[in-house]
Amino acid sequence: ETGVTQTPRHLVMGMTNKKSLKCEQHLGHNAMYWYKQSAKKPLELMFVYNFKEQTENNSVPSRFSPECPNSSHLFLHLHTLQPEDSALYLCASSQVDREYYGYTFGSGTRLTVV
Amino acid sequence: AQSVTQLGSHVSVSEGALVLLRCNYSSSVPPYLFWYVQYPNQGLQLLLKYTTGATLVKGINGFEAEFKKSETSFHLTKPSAHMSDAAEYFCAVSDQGTSYGKLTFGQGTILTVHP
């Protein structure tokens, strides 16, 4: 596989469930990102991992918990979500010190909280 | 700090007409500039980018953009719209030399193409 792969593509969960989103990149990049994209809202940067260390957390509620076990994998653990958390969650990766390459995005996970 | 403003959240054109999507940026250092396209329920795909050199850059699907430093703009154009161009377009800026190449995105412009 090449590029950035996100699983699952679609997820429906109840407000009391616990689930995880997975992102894997096959590009040899060393920075990874989680974005939230809600209808009629700008892209919201949630978390940034740089060389497996979290370097940015944009005031994201604690019901979202990221994990980056290595530079190729990124998870977003979800628990006790609210209906307003329904959105498209996008993962991206990039190469530190190669910012002219931009980001490579996955296809996203469409999350619906019921 | 860097920022991006996309003028017009919705643009509608006829098939075969010129497409013009506007993007202005602010950056304290020379920027890298990007345009991404997003089709429904998909991730963002890189259309084109400006890093250094020629200020007119060509991308995929017949799109091009011109970096104008004096106007702090990076507008996206396509001479003749096709129905398949209907999507959301995002402009993004990255400051050269930042610690991890953080991109700042504009709010997006939805392009509608009608027959």
Side-chain angles (χ1 to χ4, degrees):
Chain A
E1 282 218 52
T2 58
V4 178
T5 304
Q6 288 189 246
T7 54
R9 288 297 311 275
H10 301 272
L11 177 63
V12 179
M13 60 185 287
M15 289 191 283
T16 58
N17 291 159
K18 289 185 180 180
K19 296 287 185 183
S20 296
L21 310 184
K22 179 182 176 183
C23 176
E24 183 174 5
Q25 58 94 2
H26 309 269
L27 301 166
H29 288 169
N30 47 30
M32 297 186 78
Y33 313 83
W34 278 117
Y35 281 86
K36 177 183 179 183
Q37 189 177 33
S38 305
K40 300 181 181 180
K41 286 187 177 180
L43 279 169
E44 299 175 52
L45 178 63
M46 300 175 72
F47 301 105
V48 179
Y49 277 83
N50 188 16
F51 294 104
K52 304 186 297 177
E53 299 297 321
Q54 189 181 122
T55 55
E56 193 159 337
N57 175 341
N58 282 329
S59 303
V60 179
S62 59
R63 57 185 183 270
F64 295 91
S65 174
E67 178 189 3
C68 187
N70 56 61
S71 57
S72 298
H73 293 84
L74 185 64
F75 296 89
L76 189 62
H77 304 300
L78 316 171
H79 66 95
T80 327
L81 294 192
Q82 303 299 311
E84 61 265 27
D85 297 322
S86 298
L88 182 67
Y89 288 84
L90 292 167
C91 174
S93 70
S94 70
Q95 182 68 17
V96 171
D97 295 330
R98 297 288 187 271
E99 56 268 18
Y100 42 82
Y101 287 153
Y103 291 179
T104 302
F105 282 84
S107 297
T109 295
R110 172 66 63 185
L111 173 68
T112 303
V113 181
V114 298
Chain B
Q2 55 200 24
S3 67
V4 177
T5 301
Q6 290 182 240
L7 300 174
S9 58
H10 289 82
V11 170
S12 181
V13 300
S14 298
E15 191 173 20
L18 171 71
V19 175
L20 171 60
L21 305 183
R22 299 178 188 271
C23 173
N24 288 89
Y25 69 91
S26 72
S27 175
S28 56
V29 298
Y32 296 132
L33 295 159
F34 305 83
W35 275 100
Y36 285 84
V37 60
Q38 185 181 31
Y39 300 101
N41 289 311
Q42 298 277 333
L44 278 67
Q45 177 185 0
L46 182 66
L47 260 184
L48 50 78
K49 63 183 178 183
Y50 167 78
T51 54
T52 57
T55 56
L56 181 63
V57 293
K58 296 184 185 297
I60 60 173
N61 302 338
F63 284 93
E64 61 183 37
E66 187 171 10
F67 169 57
K68 291 188 176 181
K69 184 178 178 181
S70 61
E71 298 177 8
T72 60
S73 69
F74 191 56
H75 302 328
L76 182 70
T77 60
K78 182 174 180 177
S80 177
H82 191 273
M83 297 295 289
S84 61
D85 294 327
E88 189 163 14
Y89 293 80
F90 293 89
C91 182
V93 63
S94 173
D95 286 344
Q96 292 187 29
T98 55
S99 60
Y100 53 85
K102 180 181 171 181
L103 286 186
T104 299
F105 287 89
Q107 71 273 32
T109 298
I110 295 173
L111 175 66
T112 303
V113 182
H114 50 87

